[in-house]
Coordinates of all heavy atoms in Angstrom, one line a residue:
L1332 N -3.2 2.0 -6.2 CA -3.3 2.5 -4.8 C -3.3 4.0 -4.9 O -2.3 4.6 -4.6 CB -2.2 1.9 -4.0 CG -2.1 0.4 -3.9 CD1 -0.8 0.0 -3.1 CD2 -3.3 -0.2 -3.3
R1333 N -4.4 4.6 -5.2 CA -4.5 6.0 -5.4 C -4.7 6.9 -4.1 O -4.5 8.0 -4.1 CB -5.6 6.4 -6.4 CG -5.3 5.7 -7.8 CD -6.4 6.1 -8.8 NE -6.2 5.4 -10.1 CZ -6.9 5.6 -11.1 NH1 -8.0 6.4 -11.0 NH2 -6.7 5.0 -12.3
A1334 N -5.2 6.2 -3.1 CA -5.5 6.9 -1.9 C -5.3 5.9 -0.7 O -5.3 4.7 -0.9 CB -6.9 7.4 -1.8
P1335 N -5.1 6.4 0.5 CA -4.9 5.5 1.7 C -6.0 4.5 1.8 O -5.7 3.3 2.2 CB -4.8 6.5 2.9 CG -4.3 7.7 2.3 CD -4.9 7.8 0.9
K1336 N -7.2 4.9 1.5 CA -8.3 3.9 1.6 C -8.1 2.7 0.7 O -8.7 1.6 1.0 CB -9.6 4.6 1.3 CG -9.8 5.0 -0.1 CD -11.1 5.7 -0.4 CE -11.2 6.1 -1.9 NZ -12.5 6.8 -2.1
D1337 N -7.4 2.8 -0.4 CA -7.2 1.7 -1.3 C -6.2 0.7 -0.7 O -6.1 -0.5 -1.0 CB -6.7 2.2 -2.6 CG -7.7 3.0 -3.4 OD1 -8.9 2.8 -3.2 OD2 -7.2 4.0 -4.0
L1338 N -5.3 1.2 0.2 CA -4.3 0.4 0.8 C -4.8 -0.3 2.1 O -4.4 -1.4 2.4 CB -3.1 1.2 1.2 CG -1.9 0.5 1.8 CD1 -1.3 -0.5 0.9 CD2 -0.8 1.6 2.3
L1339 N -5.8 0.3 2.7 CA -6.3 -0.3 4.0 C -6.8 -1.7 3.9 O -6.5 -2.5 4.8 CB -7.4 0.6 4.5 CG -7.0 1.9 5.2 CD1 -8.2 2.7 5.5 CD2 -6.1 1.6 6.4
P1340 N -7.5 -2.1 2.9 CA -7.9 -3.6 2.9 C -6.8 -4.5 2.9 O -6.9 -5.6 3.5 CB -8.7 -3.7 1.6 CG -9.2 -2.3 1.3 CD -8.1 -1.4 1.8
Y1341 N -5.7 -4.2 2.2 CA -4.5 -5.1 2.2 C -3.9 -5.2 3.6 O -3.6 -6.2 4.1 CB -3.5 -4.5 1.2 CG -3.9 -4.6 -0.2 CD1 -4.4 -3.4 -0.9 CD2 -3.9 -5.8 -0.9 CE1 -4.8 -3.5 -2.2 CE2 -4.3 -5.8 -2.3 CZ -4.7 -4.7 -2.9 OH -5.1 -4.7 -4.2
L1342 N -3.7 -4.0 4.2 CA -3.0 -4.0 5.5 C -3.9 -4.6 6.6 O -3.3 -5.3 7.5 CB -2.7 -2.5 5.9 CG -1.7 -1.8 5.0 CD1 -1.5 -0.4 5.4 CD2 -0.4 -2.6 5.0
T1343 N -5.2 -4.4 6.6 CA -6.0 -5.0 7.6 C -6.2 -6.5 7.5 O -6.7 -7.2 8.4 CB -7.4 -4.3 7.7 OG1 -8.0 -4.3 6.4 CG2 -7.2 -2.8 8.1
N1344 N -5.9 -7.0 6.3 CA -6.1 -8.4 6.0 C -4.8 -9.2 6.1 O -4.8 -10.4 5.8 CB -6.7 -8.6 4.7 CG -8.2 -8.4 4.7 OD1 -9.0 -9.2 5.2 ND2 -8.7 -7.3 4.2
V1345 N -3.7 -8.6 6.4 CA -2.4 -9.3 6.5 C -2.5 -10.3 7.7 O -3.0 -9.9 8.8 CB -1.2 -8.4 6.6 CG1 -1.0 -7.6 5.3 CG2 -1.3 -7.5 7.8
S1346 N -2.0 -11.5 7.6 CA -1.8 -12.4 8.7 C -0.4 -12.4 9.1 O 0.5 -11.9 8.4 CB -2.3 -13.8 8.3 OG -1.5 -14.2 7.2
E1347 N -0.2 -12.9 10.3 CA 1.2 -12.8 10.9 C 2.2 -13.6 10.0 O 2.0 -14.8 9.7 CB 1.2 -13.4 12.3 CG 2.6 -13.2 13.0 CD 2.5 -13.4 14.5 OE1 1.3 -13.6 15.0 OE2 3.5 -13.3 15.1
G1348 N 3.2 -12.9 9.6 CA 4.3 -13.5 8.8 C 3.9 -13.6 7.3 O 4.7 -14.1 6.5
S1349 N 2.8 -13.1 6.9 CA 2.4 -13.1 5.5 C 3.1 -12.0 4.7 O 3.8 -11.2 5.2 CB 0.9 -13.0 5.3 OG 0.5 -11.6 5.7
V1350 N 2.9 -12.1 3.4 CA 3.6 -11.1 2.5 C 2.6 -10.3 1.7 O 1.5 -10.7 1.3 CB 4.4 -12.0 1.4 CG1 5.0 -11.0 0.3 CG2 5.5 -12.7 2.1
L1351 N 2.9 -9.0 1.6 CA 2.2 -8.0 0.8 C 3.1 -7.6 -0.3 O 4.2 -7.0 0.0 CB 1.7 -6.8 1.6 CG 1.1 -5.7 0.8 CD1 -0.1 -6.1 0.0 CD2 0.7 -4.5 1.7
F1352 N 2.7 -7.9 -1.5 CA 3.6 -7.6 -2.7 C 3.0 -6.4 -3.4 O 1.8 -6.4 -3.8 CB 3.7 -8.8 -3.6 CG 4.4 -8.5 -4.9 CD1 5.6 -7.9 -5.0 CD2 3.7 -8.7 -6.1 CE1 6.3 -7.6 -6.2 CE2 4.3 -8.4 -7.3 CZ 5.6 -7.9 -7.4
I1353 N 3.7 -5.3 -3.6 CA 3.3 -4.2 -4.4 C 4.2 -4.0 -5.6 O 5.4 -3.7 -5.5 CB 3.3 -2.9 -3.5 CG1 2.4 -3.0 -2.3 CG2 2.8 -1.7 -4.4 CD1 2.4 -1.7 -1.4
D1354 N 3.6 -4.3 -6.8 CA 4.3 -4.2 -8.0 C 4.3 -2.7 -8.4 O 3.4 -2.0 -8.2 CB 3.7 -5.0 -9.1 CG 4.6 -5.3 -10.2 OD1 5.8 -5.0 -10.1 OD2 4.1 -5.8 -11.3
E1355 N 5.4 -2.3 -9.2 CA 5.5 -0.9 -9.6 C 5.3 0.0 -8.4 O 4.6 1.0 -8.5 CB 4.5 -0.6 -10.8 CG 4.8 -1.5 -12.0 CD 6.1 -1.3 -12.6 OE1 6.7 -0.2 -12.6 OE2 6.7 -2.3 -13.0
I1356 N 6.0 -0.2 -7.4 CA 5.8 0.5 -6.1 C 6.2 2.0 -6.3 O 5.8 2.8 -5.5 CB 6.6 -0.1 -5.0 CG1 6.1 0.4 -3.6 CG2 8.1 0.0 -5.2 CD1 6.7 -0.4 -2.4
H1357 N 7.0 2.3 -7.3 CA 7.4 3.7 -7.5 C 6.2 4.6 -7.9 O 6.3 5.8 -7.9 CB 8.5 3.8 -8.5 CG 8.1 3.4 -9.9 ND1 8.2 2.1 -10.3 CD2 7.6 4.0 -11.0 CE1 7.8 1.9 -11.6 NE2 7.4 3.1 -12.0
R1358 N 5.1 3.9 -8.3 CA 3.9 4.7 -8.8 C 2.9 4.9 -7.6 O 1.9 5.5 -7.8 CB 3.2 3.9 -9.9 CG 4.1 3.7 -11.1 CD 3.3 3.0 -12.2 NE 2.3 3.9 -12.8 CZ 1.4 3.5 -13.7 NH1 1.5 2.3 -14.2 NH2 0.5 4.3 -14.1
V1359 N 3.3 4.5 -6.4 CA 2.4 4.8 -5.2 C 2.5 6.3 -4.9 O 3.6 6.9 -4.8 CB 2.9 4.0 -4.0 CG1 2.2 4.4 -2.8 CG2 2.7 2.5 -4.3
P1360 N 1.3 6.9 -4.8 CA 1.3 8.4 -4.5 C 1.9 8.7 -3.1 O 2.0 7.8 -2.2 CB -0.2 8.7 -4.5 CG -0.8 7.6 -5.2 CD 0.0 6.4 -5.0
K1361 N 2.3 9.9 -2.9 CA 3.0 10.3 -1.7 C 2.1 10.0 -0.4 O 2.6 9.6 0.6 CB 3.3 11.8 -1.7 CG 4.1 12.3 -0.5 CD 5.5 11.8 -0.5 CE 6.3 12.4 0.6 NZ 7.7 11.8 0.7
S1362 N 0.8 10.3 -0.6 CA -0.1 10.1 0.6 C -0.2 8.7 1.0 O -0.2 8.3 2.2 CB -1.5 10.6 0.2 OG -2.0 10.0 -0.9
V1363 N -0.2 7.8 0.0 CA -0.2 6.3 0.3 C 1.1 5.9 0.9 O 1.2 5.1 1.8 CB -0.6 5.5 -0.9 CG1 -0.6 4.0 -0.6 CG2 -2.0 5.9 -1.4
E1364 N 2.2 6.4 0.3 CA 3.6 6.1 0.7 C 3.8 6.4 2.2 O 4.3 5.6 2.9 CB 4.6 6.8 -0.1 CG 6.0 6.6 0.2 CD 6.9 7.4 -0.7 OE1 6.8 7.3 -1.9 OE2 7.8 8.1 -0.1
E1365 N 3.2 7.5 2.6 CA 3.4 7.9 4.0 C 2.6 7.0 5.0 O 3.0 6.8 6.1 CB 3.0 9.4 4.2 CG 3.9 10.4 3.6 CD 3.4 11.8 3.6 OE1 2.2 12.0 3.9 OE2 4.1 12.7 3.3
Y1366 N 1.5 6.4 4.5 CA 0.8 5.4 5.2 C 1.6 4.2 5.4 O 1.5 3.5 6.4 CB -0.5 5.1 4.5 CG -1.7 5.3 5.3 CD1 -2.2 6.6 5.6 CD2 -2.5 4.3 5.7 CE1 -3.3 6.8 6.3 CE2 -3.7 4.5 6.5 CZ -4.0 5.8 6.8 OH -5.2 6.0 7.5
L1367 N 2.5 3.9 4.5 CA 3.3 2.7 4.6 C 4.4 2.8 5.6 O 4.9 1.8 6.1 CB 3.9 2.4 3.2 CG 3.0 1.7 2.1 CD1 3.8 1.7 0.8 CD2 2.6 0.3 2.6
Y1368 N 4.8 4.0 5.9 CA 5.9 4.2 6.8 C 5.7 3.5 8.2 O 6.5 2.7 8.6 CB 6.2 5.7 7.0 CG 6.7 6.4 5.8 CD1 6.7 7.8 5.8 CD2 7.2 5.7 4.7 CE1 7.2 8.5 4.6 CE2 7.6 6.4 3.6 CZ 7.6 7.8 3.5 OH 8.1 8.4 2.4

């Protein structure tokens, strides 16, 4: 997940109550991390 655009497909495809799993989440760049907030 190097840029916010890489995260968008995951977020826009989540269904209600579903799970998004991010492994090695400490490697997410700051710009992507702020998108997660």
Side-chain angles (χ1 to χ4, degrees):
L1332 303 175
R1333 300 182 180 180
K1336 65 181 182 181
D1337 298 324
L1338 181 64
L1339 284 175
Y1341 294 101
L1342 295 177
T1343 55
N1344 281 284
V1345 294
S1346 56
E1347 186 163 356
S1349 67
V1350 171
L1351 171 59
F1352 172 57
I1353 301 181
D1354 196 12
E1355 298 300 322
I1356 195 170
H1357 64 271
R1358 300 184 66 183
V1359 171
K1361 185 69 174 178
S1362 59
V1363 178
E1364 182 181 304
E1365 291 173 346
Y1366 238 70
L1367 282 172
Y1368 295 164

